[in-house]
Amino acid sequence: MHLTRLGLTDFRSYAEVSLELTPGVSTFSGPNGEGKTNLVEGIGYLATLGSHRVATDGPLVRQGAERAILRAAVTAEQGSALVEVELNPGRANRVRLNKAQLPRPRDILGTLRTVLFAPEDLALVKGDPGERRRFLDELLVASAPRYAGIRADYERVLRQRTALLKSAGSKGHLRGAAREAMTATLDTWDAQLARTAAPLLSGRMRLVAALRPHVEAAYEAVSGGAPGEVSGMNYRSSALNNDDGFDDATALETAPLETALLKALAGVRASELDRGVCLVGPHRDELELAIGGLPARGYASHGESWSMALALRLASFALLRERREDPVLILDDVFAELDAGRRDRLAVLVAGAEQVLITAAVPADVPAVLAGARFTVQDGEISCAG
C-alpha cells in the first residue's frame, strides 16, 4: 500500500498543499516549526480518524478557517481509492470514498493503513495505561476495521452505566422500592456492558498473543541484542484472574468472557456505588511491558524505553504486513531522538517497506540506507529537493 497524492486545505499551518508521492522513501526536511509534523499528522488522521498529538479536532483546523479538508489517493492490492475527510469542529465530520459520501466517518477505516513512529511514542512505555490501551485499540482497528464499531458500542454503554452509578451515589443510601429499582437497572446495564466488552477484550487478548513474538524480535533487533535485555508483554484484565483458566494465547470465545465480566461486576458493585465509577472492563485493563524481567515503566532506562517503543511500532508493522500488505510507514522526527546504533539498526529494519515517509530537521540524521525522494518544508511550502 502507498500514497500517490496528498491534499490538505486549511489543515494546521497549511492553507493549501498538494503533493505527489511515490513508493520508496521520501524525506521531508526543514527547520522545526515549519510544518513537517503537520504533514504526517494529516496522513495519520486519514488512516485513523485521530491525531497522535491532540485529543480533539479543533486545533487541526487552520486559525481563521471554519473547516479543514484532507484528501489522499491510495494505491493498494485491491486497486486505487480516493479518501476525503472534512473536519468540522463542533459539528459532525464528513467523509467521502471515491467521491461518494459515507454515512459514518469510521466507514473509511482500513482504506489507508499507517504505522507512525513519533517522539510521543515514548509515552507508550513511560505513560499511563490509557496510552497502551489506545495503542492496542488503534492496531485492532487497523487490522480489522469492524473493531471501530465494537469499541464505539462499548464506550457508549460505559458512559451510560457510569452516569447511572454517579446518579445512584448522589442519592445516598437507597431503601425499599427505590433500591430494588436501582438494582434491577444496574443488572440490565451490567449485562449490556459485559456483552459489548467481551468482543473487545477477546480482540485485545488475541492481538497481544499475535504481537508478542514480533515485539520480542523487534526489541532484540533495535537494541542490538544487549545481554539481559529480554523484552516481554502481557495483557492484564480487570475482569479475569489466573483461576478463571483464561490465557491470552487461547482462541477465546465471547460467551465465557461475558460470564467472567458479569461475575467481576457483581463482585465490585458495592465499591462502584460508593465511588460512582465503573471498576471492571477493558477501560481498566493494562498492557504490561517488561525488560529484563522488570516492569518497563519506572525501571527502563531512556535508551531501553526508546527501544521498547520502537519495538511496539515495528511489531505493529510486521503484524499488519503479515496479515495483508505493507502499511505506509511514517517516521516523524525519530532519528534525532536515537543514538547512532539504534538509528542505524532502525534504518535497516524499515528500508524494505513499500513506502516510508520521514521527517527530519537535519537531513544528515537520516541514515544513507534510506536514500530516496527529498522535499524541503519551509514557511508552509513544500518543494522537491531532489
Side-chain angles (χ1 to χ4, degrees), residues 215-231 291 303-308 310-311 314 339 341-343 345-346 349:
V215 170
E216 292 171 354
Y219 184 87
E220 182 178 0
V222 170
S223 67
E229 283 194 13
V230 179
S231 67
I291 299 174
E304 290 170 339
S305 296
W306 259 115
S307 291
M308 176 59 81
L310 290 170
L314 286 168
D339 59 49
R342 287 181 173 86
R343 185 183 300 174
R345 288 190 289 270
L346 174 62
L349 290 169

Side-chain angles (χ1 to χ4, degrees), residues 180-339:
E180 291 179 7
M182 179 60 70
T183 298
T185 304
L186 273 174
D187 286 345
T188 300
W189 282 107
D190 284 2
Q192 290 195 47
L193 191 79
R195 177 181 56 79
T196 56
L200 180 58
L201 176 56
S202 176
R204 284 184 184 177
M205 294 175 75
R206 292 172 192 266
L207 178 64
V208 169
L211 197 62
R212 184 180 292 111
H214 292 297
V215 170
E216 292 171 354
Y219 184 87
E220 182 178 0
V222 170
S223 67
E229 283 194 13
V230 179
S231 67
M233 62 188 301
N234 180 61
Y235 189 85
R236 179 169 57 80
S237 169
S238 57
L240 309 179
N241 58 57
N242 294 335
D243 295 333
D244 293 322
F246 292 110
D247 187 335
D248 64 5
T250 305
L252 295 169
E253 298 296 332
T254 57
L257 286 178
E258 275 193 53
T259 301
L261 283 156
L262 284 169
K263 178 182 176 183
L265 286 167
V268 297
R269 176 171 289 186
S271 296
E272 288 186 328
L273 286 168
D274 287 341
R275 297 172 58 181
V277 295
C278 186
L279 298 175
V280 166
H283 67 291
R284 305 283 294 197
D285 295 354
E286 167 69 296
L287 176 64
E288 297 174 329
L289 304 174
I291 299 174
L294 294 173
R297 186 186 181 194
Y299 288 90
S301 68
H302 184 73
E304 290 170 339
S305 296
W306 259 115
S307 291
M308 176 59 81
L310 290 170
L312 290 170
R313 295 301 187 189
L314 286 168
S316 302
F317 179 82
L319 189 67
L320 293 174
R321 165 187 268 184
E322 180 181 87
R323 294 183 175 183
R324 299 184 67 175
E325 57 192 328
D326 280 15
V328 176
L329 192 56
I330 302 172
L331 310 179
D332 180 27
D333 202 24
V334 168
F335 289 109
E337 302 285 341
L338 304 178
D339 59 49

Side-chain angles (χ1 to χ4, degrees), residues 3 16 25 34 42 50 52 56 76 78 104 112 133 170 230 241 263 301 305 366 373 383 386:
L3 288 165
E16 190 74 41
V25 178
E34 297 296 321
H52 68 290
T56 61
Q78 297 87 353
R104 300 171 301 188
L112 171 64
R133 290 192 293 266
S170 68
V230 179
N241 58 57
K263 178 182 176 183
S301 68
S305 296
V366 182
S383 57

Side-chain angles (χ1 to χ4, degrees), residues 137-174:
D137 290 344
E138 288 182 350
L139 184 54
L140 266 181
V141 172
S143 58
R146 66 186 178 86
Y147 278 101
I150 291 172
R151 185 183 181 191
D153 288 344
Y154 174 71
E155 291 176 347
R156 173 182 53 80
V157 173
L158 176 63
R159 285 193 301 271
Q160 293 171 312
R161 185 176 183 274
T162 300
L164 177 65
L165 288 170
K166 289 181 178 178
S167 172
S170 68
K171 294 175 182 177
H173 187 63
L174 297 175

